Amino acid sequence: MTYDFDTIIDRRGTNSENMDGWRAYIFHCGPERAFPYRDEEFIRMWVADMDFSVAPEILQAIHERVDRKILGYTLVSDEGFYEALEGWCRSRYGWTFPREELVFSPGVVPALYQLVEDLVKPSDGKVLTMTPAYGFFLHACEYNGVELLSSPLKQAEGRFVIDFDDLERKAADPAARMLLLCNPHNPTGRVWTQQELQHIGEIAVRNNLWIVSDEIHCDLLRCGLHHMPMARALPDYPRLITCMSASKTFNLAGMLLSEIFIRDPEERERFRSRDKTNGSLNPLSVAAHKAAYEHGGAWLEALKDYIDQNLALVGRFLQAHIPEAGFTMPEATYFAWVDLRRVLPYGTDLPLFFANNAGVLLEGGDGLFVGNAEGFVRLNLAIPRATLQTGLQRMADAIRAGNKKA
């Protein structure tokens, strides 16, 4: 089947966060704040969902579930769901899991909030992560009154690498209780190698840390690359929790379902007992995830090829029009993590600059990521190529005009 990623879909009137939530999320303001562009004129390259239609195989499964006519209280009692998920993990990652380890959450972010609450106490605990990091790693700690320790990634020829000496020092903090790992890494797009994951694991084991591995981007790799779950790199460590979902891969974030694999039986039972939904799941979410794991492979491969071409376009465009920008092809995600420190004055509020001067909505800097992100922007490239070309041109024009004024 040929899949269409070029059609521009009108998302207005769908209660889309992408369309309607950017003021609050990026700028912490409401509709009273005026911008030089009308809402419908903005190029949206910010929040991590796609401007692509959900795979037709998944839409068909949702339609078929609706046609069953009853949408009552729902749980996963269908062996077919487990078989579909197991088959996906086995074929994609060479990994299988004991079914009893699997629990569900409305999302990876709610799971992070709950896991920090369960396992790290404000009076004597800290959480460690590598930065720049996804903003909700910090928010999960703030919500629970827990300090976040940051181990900054280093850059080697444009590629982000782990400072293992620093990570070791931070992990040895007597108050450290948990390592929040992003595998693959958001926002830099690194795919951690087996050797890197094993080194991380050795540090965590020596310091008796819980490892919570956020692997929600694990399917969104460049064509030809493969994901290594932390659970494969560290097969026997009981304090490992893995978070996955079809939501990021298949543009199903609004369906609110994720799979959480908890090895430790005590924490697994505690997590279940604190489930605010009392085990209930959205029936359409269950149908969508099952269809994704059973029938989504061809769509995903087409998507990856399209994203790879979008990333190549970004590389060519930056080299031709913004050569001072730093950009290395990411190994995973559908983001471009672009270094603009030599392009615009240090301290520039980059999201505000591009909103006001280019009509482009994006995320960047330490205000939206956790440390080590000043001067960088994250561009969501899961958008039609024509939209991407317009957004890049607007950004280049705004940079050129801004530097002339300076």
Side-chain angles (χ1 to χ4, degrees):
M1 181 181 292
T2 300
Y3 299 102
D4 176 15
F5 301 105
D6 288 313
T7 295
I8 297 173
I9 299 172
D10 185 358
R11 300 179 69 178
R12 291 176 297 176
T14 63
N15 296 304
S16 161
E17 182 174 1
N18 192 314
M19 295 296 298
D20 304 323
W22 57 273
R23 279 184 169 82
Y25 188 94
I26 303 176
F27 301 113
H28 310 293
C29 68
E32 74 284 348
R33 182 166 183 173
F35 287 84
Y37 294 82
R38 297 192 304 273
D39 281 16
E40 62 271 20
E41 293 176 328
F42 280 103
I43 300 294
R44 288 165 163 78
M45 302 171 73
W46 69 289
V47 70
D49 68 5
M50 307 182 199
D51 274 346
F52 303 140
S53 171
V54 171
E57 296 88 344
I58 298 174
L59 293 177
Q60 179 63 30
I62 294 171
H63 285 300
E64 290 175 358
R65 181 62 185 85
V66 169
D67 288 343
R68 298 297 297 269
K69 300 182 180 180
I70 295 176
L71 302 173
Y73 290 117
T74 300
L75 49 78
V76 174
S77 56
D78 176 14
E79 287 294 305
F81 183 94
Y82 293 101
E83 290 168 358
L85 177 57
E86 286 175 338
W88 186 266
C89 291
R90 186 184 305 107
S91 65
R92 294 271 164 175
Y93 328 129
W95 173 58
T96 58
F97 56 88
R99 289 189 187 184
E100 64 269 16
E101 293 183 0
L102 176 60
V103 297
F104 297 99
S105 169
V108 170
V109 168
L112 297 181
Y113 276 64
Q114 186 61 61
L115 292 166
V116 173
E117 179 181 321
D118 287 354
L119 301 171
V120 187
K121 304 308 174 191
S123 58
D124 66 350
K126 298 177 183 178
V127 172
L128 172 62
T129 198
M130 294 176 284
T131 59
Y134 180 46
F136 277 96
F137 282 18
L138 174 62
H139 302 331
C141 293
E142 291 175 333
Y143 178 84
N144 288 293
V146 168
E147 182 180 345
L148 182 68
L149 296 172
S150 296
S151 180
L153 298 173
K154 300 186 297 184
Q155 279 187 277
E157 298 180 355
R159 190 171 187 257
F160 285 84
V161 296
I162 300 167
D163 185 340
F164 280 108
D165 291 336
D166 183 75
L167 188 67
E168 181 82 68
R169 285 193 298 271
K170 303 284 175 58
D173 186 321
R177 298 287 181 271
M178 175 187 290
L179 171 65
L180 275 181
L181 175 67
C182 199
N183 175 37
H185 190 260
N186 171 28
T188 68
R190 269 302 314 278
V191 171
W192 305 123
T193 65
Q194 181 173 355
Q195 291 73 25
E196 287 170 316
L197 291 173
Q198 288 173 336
H199 197 169
I200 293 168
E202 290 165 2
I203 291 171
V205 171
R206 273 198 299 274
N207 293 282
N208 200 33
L209 301 182
W210 286 93
I211 303 174
V212 177
S213 186
D214 173 2
E215 306 195 6
I216 198 167
H217 295 277
C218 64
D219 295 310
L220 297 165
L221 278 59
R222 304 288 74 78
C223 293
L225 298 183
H226 299 282
H227 171 66
M228 167 69 75
M230 190 59 165
R232 263 190 66 194
L234 207 61
D236 301 315
Y237 188 52
R239 291 189 161 209
L240 173 64
I241 299 167
T242 302
C243 304
M244 291 181 172
S245 178
S247 62
K248 196 69 66 184
T249 304
F250 292 99
N251 208 23
L252 301 171
M255 302 299 279
L256 299 178
L257 180 63
S258 63
E259 293 91 26
I260 314 298
F261 304 87
I262 304 177
R263 283 179 173 168
D264 181 77
E266 182 179 345
E267 171 52 23
R268 192 161 62 240
E269 182 54 37
R270 180 165 46 235
F271 189 90
R272 281 199 182 104
S273 71
R274 297 186 179 191
D275 178 6
K276 310 304 186 293
T277 65
N278 197 33
S280 291
L281 301 174
N282 182 327
L284 303 184
S285 301
V286 174
H289 276 232
K290 182 172 181 285
Y293 295 133
E294 286 182 332
H295 307 297
W299 182 90
L300 175 58
E301 293 309 310
L303 169 75
K304 288 164 58 178
D305 181 69
Y306 193 89
I307 296 296
D308 286 6
Q309 292 182 52
N310 274 2
L311 280 161
L313 170 61
V314 169
R316 293 192 303 271
F317 186 93
L318 293 177
Q319 187 174 32
H321 300 282
I322 317 175
E324 300 85 2
F327 172 70
T328 300
M329 182 73 70
E331 298 162 329
T333 76
Y334 46 66
F335 305 127
W337 186 240
V338 183
D339 183 355
L340 297 179
R341 288 175 295 181
R342 293 192 299 152
V343 175
L344 290 167
Y346 183 81
T348 300
D349 184 329
L350 296 174
L352 186 61
F353 173 85
F354 287 109
N356 277 330
N357 297 285
V360 172
L361 299 174
L362 49 76
E363 299 179 60
D366 289 342
L368 290 165
F369 296 92
V370 184
N372 202 21
E374 189 65 34
F376 287 79
V377 294
R378 189 187 77 171
L379 307 180
N380 179 350
L381 306 188
I383 56 178
R385 195 154 297 134
T387 304
L388 172 59
Q389 290 171 326
T390 300
L392 291 173
Q393 189 61 58
R394 286 190 188 184
M395 290 176 67
D397 292 344
I399 290 167
R400 192 177 303 110
N403 286 332
K404 282 182 180 179
K405 290 178 183 177

